[in-house]
């Protein structure tokens, strides 16, 4: 635990050690987890914090999650992205979902995209944010971010997702492919009927 606390995680050696330890989260003692969480709060640079955030996500420990939330408001985009990624590993409680909702509105698309991936991992437990994701689909000007949101919405709320996905099936639109993937998540006959026409040879690019 002392070595974890003292290590400069921005160094190549410590970074390699950290990734090796991250493969075996069950082997970490409570003292070691506490040391890693303390090191995250006190790290001198955000690269080190980003590495530690990835490990802390494997702890699934409330103290680790709280440390991530404390750092999030003052973090730069790279660290905010890592925090959004890590939050997908914690229980979908009020604090976790509130932080992910904030990440969806982040001015950096990479942060919002990672928040969407975390919501997809949380699944039905994050259904309360389905309407927020739908609003993102309607408002974002980023085709990339919109595609990620289209893939996430059916994981959260299938009934809400269906009309949204079907409305994106406009030839020439960059949203067609992610909408089809979203319909595949629904997996019923109605969704299949929408997907099949796009399997024609003339539309193989989709």
């Amino acid at each position: 635990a002392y070595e974890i606390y003292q290590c400069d995680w921005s160094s190549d050696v410590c970074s390699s050690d950290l990734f090796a330890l991250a493969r075996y989260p069950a082997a970490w003692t409570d003292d070691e987890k506490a040391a890693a969480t303390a090191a995250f709060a006190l790290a001198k640079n955000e690269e080190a914090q980003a590495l530690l955030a990835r490990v802390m996500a494997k702890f699934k420990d409330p103290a680790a999650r709280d440390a991530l939330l404390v750092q999030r408001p003052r973090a730069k985009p790279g660290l905010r992205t890592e925090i959004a990624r890590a939050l997908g590993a914690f229980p979908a409680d009020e604090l976790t979902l509130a932080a992910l909702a904030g990440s969806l509105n982040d001015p950096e698309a990479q942060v919002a995209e990672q928040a969407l991936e975390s919501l997809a991992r949380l699944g039905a437990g994050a259904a309360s944010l389905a309407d927020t994701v739908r609003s993102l689909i309607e408002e974002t000007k980023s085709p990339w971010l919109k595609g990620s949101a289209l893939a996430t919405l059916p994981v959260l709320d299938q009934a809400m997702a269906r009309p949204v996905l079907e409305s994106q099936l406009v030839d020439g639109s960059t949203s067609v492919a992610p909408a089809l993937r979203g319909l595949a998540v629904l997996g019923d006959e109605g969704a299949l009927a929408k997907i099949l026409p796009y399997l024609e040879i003339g539309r193989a690019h989709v």
Side-chain angles (χ1 to χ4, degrees):
Y2 177 80
E3 291 177 357
I4 293 171
Y5 185 78
Q6 293 295 322
C7 191
D8 175 9
W9 292 111
S10 62
S11 73
D12 291 339
V13 173
C14 287
S15 297
S16 297
D17 289 346
L18 183 63
F19 280 123
L21 288 169
R23 295 176 60 188
Y24 308 101
W28 287 59
T29 67
D30 289 342
D31 285 345
E32 290 165 345
K33 292 177 181 179
T37 301
F40 172 81
L42 298 174
K44 297 178 181 179
N45 63 73
E46 291 200 348
E47 290 183 4
Q49 288 179 308
L51 291 172
L52 286 161
R54 293 193 181 192
V55 173
M56 292 160 63
K58 297 178 180 292
F59 296 165
K60 303 186 187 299
D61 180 72
R65 193 273 309 275
D66 292 346
L68 294 171
L69 296 185
V70 168
Q71 189 64 32
R72 179 180 164 273
R74 55 178 177 266
K76 293 179 180 178
L79 181 55
R80 294 203 304 274
T81 300
E82 290 297 336
I83 291 173
R85 176 184 287 113
L87 290 174
F90 291 94
D93 61 16
E94 184 176 353
L95 289 175
T96 296
L97 294 181
L100 287 172
S103 294
L104 289 177
N105 293 317
D106 196 283
E108 296 291 333
Q110 65 185 30
V111 181
E113 194 275 339
Q114 191 56 65
L116 288 166
E117 289 191 16
S118 288
L119 289 175
R121 294 206 307 275
L122 293 173
S128 61
L129 292 182
D131 195 55
T132 303
V133 173
R134 179 174 62 180
S135 296
L136 179 62
I137 292 169
E138 296 171 349
E139 297 170 6
T140 185
K141 296 180 180 179
S142 166
W144 169 56
L145 188 56
K146 184 176 183 179
S148 295
L150 287 168
T152 298
L153 186 58
V155 180
L156 305 182
D157 188 322
Q158 293 194 359
M160 181 185 294
R162 187 182 301 277
V164 174
L165 295 170
E166 292 179 354
S167 71
Q168 302 300 314
L169 299 180
V170 178
D171 283 351
S173 170
T174 57
S175 298
V176 172
L180 291 173
R181 288 194 290 271
L183 287 168
V185 173
L186 301 183
D188 56 25
E189 291 185 3
L192 182 60
K194 295 291 184 179
I195 294 172
L196 285 177
Y198 288 89
L199 298 179
E200 297 173 1
I201 296 177
R203 304 167 96 174
H205 66 282
V206 177

